[in-house]
Amino acid sequence: MNHYRELVNTDIQGKNVLLREDLNVPTDNNEIINDERIRAAIPTIQYILSQNAKLSIISHFGRPKSGAFDKKFSLKIVAERISKIINKEVYFEETPISEKSPDYKNDITLYENTRFLKGETTGDDNLAKKMAKNCDVFVMDAFGACHREHCSTFTVSKYSPVTCGGLLLMEEIKNLDKIFDKPKKPILAIIGGAKISTKLTVLRELINKVNAIIIGGGIANTFLLSSDFSVGNSLSEKSMIENAKEIIKLAAEKNVLLPLPKDVVCENQNQIYVKKVGDVNENDIIKDIGPKTSLKYKKLIEEAGTILWNGPVGMFEKSSFESGTKNIAVSVCKSKGLSIAGGGDTISAVQKFSNINEIDYVSTGGGAFLKFLEGQELPGIEIIKKL
Ligand code: ADP
Ligand code: MG
């Protein structure tokens, strides 16, 4: 890790610290429904406060229209939650950072949603200069947003005297590096989810790095189509059939095992059937992998030395179609191999079906986790690299 500038090796004693966190938690009716992301930021916050620094925190929250305030996307409820967790007053600044020069007069201030600011998502230089005003050290800790070249995740570092990585960001990097740095073999990737188009790059990349890829979910349907099976009315992407064929060919060339579902759970006019993939008819909708496929996947998970999981293998939100994903979650938790999972829906599935603590590492990133696996440079990590 010595090629990164880390917060723990940076002198912040009594200094003005600007901290970028990912506090983008899910809400319902302006209430936080899951505060995992806030809790993940607490160690960094506590550490900075323990150094008698003056702390200003910035984050995005949802996807508001830029340049306008929208109460639905206000971070005020997040300030209250942080305050409750650390048992200390968190001053909430309703004016987003930059419109008023940050003065670092409070011990801890949370500024309103950075995405209310014009120039945030375009990485505007002028906005970055204003954000960095009066700060001595910029701490990047928002792993979930580090694939974005936004003002508060990237450009701001140009104008802050020092930039370093917070505890959460460093923890993510250390754990994710383990996947490809002398991993225990066989390495197994489990890739599910709705659409192959969002996972295509990662699939191509993984073929060069893993020994087997289990495919499930909506993306398996396109693979089945490309192997001349009918998928009836299931979700699939016809424009991706050639890409799926190419992936199958590449996997064969590289000796990467790429099992497809042998049986599936379908819905047809409110009736639910388990069918062999060859028996799916034109009105069936495939919504989960079948029990035989689950057993086969379980065996591969048991044998794996390293497991990487992104994407549910069925529409697990409904109990009739949760079995496949539930079985995977349980097997991954029980496995002796190093297990790493990431992705918004994947984490929800793990939380729903198993004890999340039994997975070796759960990434807080969705898009950033995938980009990392794709082997791409992440702007929010580039800024903490030593020259
Ligand atoms: P993650 O957020 O973990 O990256 P994705 O967003 O890629 O995962 O995929 C999750 C979604 O995929 C879930 O909402 C799930 O219902 C859907 N899905 C899984 N299997 C199917 C299927 N056979 N047909 C349609 N949607 C599916
Ligand atoms: Mg998702």
Side-chain angles (χ1 to χ4, degrees):
M1 285 293 119
N2 51 16
H3 43 284
Y4 295 107
R5 284 183 306 270
E6 297 191 41
L7 170 61
V8 290
N9 300 324
T10 306
D11 176 20
I12 57 163
Q13 193 69 37
K15 293 193 173 163
N16 292 347
V17 174
L18 179 65
L19 170 66
R20 174 57 156 102
E21 285 292 351
D22 177 3
L23 303 172
N24 187 24
V25 288
T27 56
D28 188 21
N29 249 328
N30 212 32
E31 288 208 20
I32 297 169
I33 46 178
N34 182 332
D35 65 2
E36 276 308 313
R37 280 195 162 153
I38 298 175
R39 291 185 184 276
I42 298 297
T44 301
I45 294 175
Q46 300 274 38
Y47 176 81
I48 294 170
L49 294 176
S50 76
Q51 304 294 301
N52 301 315
K54 295 286 184 191
L55 173 60
S56 285
I57 310 173
I58 49 175
S59 174
H60 73 290
F61 193 39
R63 290 173 186 243
K65 241 174 77 193
S66 87
F69 174 79
D70 181 344
K71 190 172 180 295
K72 219 168 67 213
F73 299 107
S74 171
L75 275 170
K76 191 161 195 275
I77 48 171
V78 174
E80 287 158 6
R81 183 61 60 93
I82 298 174
S83 181
K84 206 170 152 191
I85 297 172
I86 65 173
N87 198 16
K88 185 176 166 72
E89 195 197 340
V90 173
Y91 181 79
F92 181 66
E93 178 54 73
E94 287 175 11
T95 315
I97 195 160
S98 84
E99 286 178 17
K100 209 159 88 179
S101 254
D103 57 18
Y104 294 88
K105 73 177 192 313
N106 304 297
D107 283 352
I108 170 164
T109 304
L110 174 66
Y111 280 85
E112 185 56 286
N113 196 346
T114 51
R115 288 213 187 147
F116 289 160
L117 292 164
K118 263 217 165 82
E120 160 67 350
T121 55
T122 52
D124 185 76
D125 273 287
N126 274 325
L127 178 61
K129 255 183 232 170
K130 290 183 193 162
M131 267 185 194
K133 190 110 200 264
N134 297 332
C135 104
D136 300 311
V137 178
F138 172 58
V139 181
M140 175 59 182
D141 205 31
F143 178 73
C146 76
H147 57 311
R148 304 197 187 279
E149 214 169 289
H150 288 178
C151 202
S152 65
T153 56
F154 181 73
T155 330
V156 66
S157 78
K158 283 200 227 168
Y159 302 101
S160 70
V162 178
T163 298
C164 59
L167 306 183
L168 173 64
L169 183 66
M170 295 319 300
E171 185 71 8
E172 290 273 2
I173 297 173
K174 278 172 204 168
N175 280 288
L176 298 184
D177 272 347
K178 281 186 202 159
I179 304 175
F180 301 124
D181 184 28
K182 299 190 211 88
K184 226 174 117 198
K185 294 194 173 173
I187 312 171
L188 169 72
I190 305 164
I191 304 292
K195 291 187 167 176
I196 183 174
S197 44
T198 62
K199 312 269 163 127
L200 192 63
T201 327
V202 78
L203 283 170
R204 275 216 195 93
E205 192 59 34
L206 288 173
I207 285 176
N208 298 316
K209 294 178 172 165
V210 305
N211 305 103
I213 306 177
I214 285 177
I215 307 247
I219 75 169
N221 297 337
T222 308
F223 277 95
L224 290 171
L225 268 183
S226 82
S227 309
D228 292 330
F229 287 106
S230 160
V231 297
N233 274 329
S234 311
L235 175 76
S236 66
E237 290 163 280
K238 300 209 168 48
S239 63
M240 289 282 136
I241 290 178
E242 287 310 312
N243 298 92
K245 278 187 184 160
E246 186 204 342
I247 299 275
I248 292 175
K249 190 167 156 261
L250 281 173
E253 280 168 16
K254 305 246 170 181
N255 249 332
V256 173
L257 209 61
L258 193 92
L260 293 179
K262 292 265 179 254
D263 59 345
V264 286
V265 183
C266 317
E267 187 167 52
N268 192 337
Q269 291 178 334
N270 295 325
Q271 300 283 338
I272 294 167
Y273 307 92
V274 173
K275 290 190 172 184
K276 283 194 208 143
V277 286
D279 296 340
V280 172
N281 72 39
E282 58 184 10
N283 296 317
D284 288 334
I285 305 174
I286 302 173
K287 297 199 165 177
D288 195 8
I289 56 173
K292 287 208 175 89
T293 305
S294 267
L295 264 180
K296 187 171 175 195
Y297 287 2
K298 180 172 176 245
K299 209 159 168 279
L300 283 169
I301 294 169
E302 279 167 2
E303 289 163 359
T306 305
I307 302 157
L308 181 68
W309 180 20
N310 168 260
V313 295
M315 298 172 78
F316 73 98
E317 296 90 343
K318 284 214 180 113
S319 59
S320 320
F321 311 110
E322 67 177 26
S323 289
T325 305
K326 192 175 179 174
N327 289 332
I328 296 238
V330 170
S331 306
V332 171
C333 284
K334 277 197 193 143
S335 78
K336 290 189 205 75
L338 174 81
S339 53
I340 296 181
D345 293 292
T346 309
I347 296 175
S348 305
V350 175
Q351 280 172 332
K352 192 168 174 185
F353 302 128
S354 52
N355 178 356
I356 200 154
N357 299 322
E358 286 176 19
I359 294 207
D360 292 302
Y361 192 68
V362 179
S363 174
T364 55
F369 176 69
L370 275 181
K371 287 273 183 307
F372 187 96
L373 299 181
E374 285 168 14
Q376 296 204 20
E377 282 188 351
L378 305 176
I381 294 181
E382 290 304 302
I383 57 173
I384 64 158
K385 278 191 180 159
K386 287 180 187 161
L387 295 174

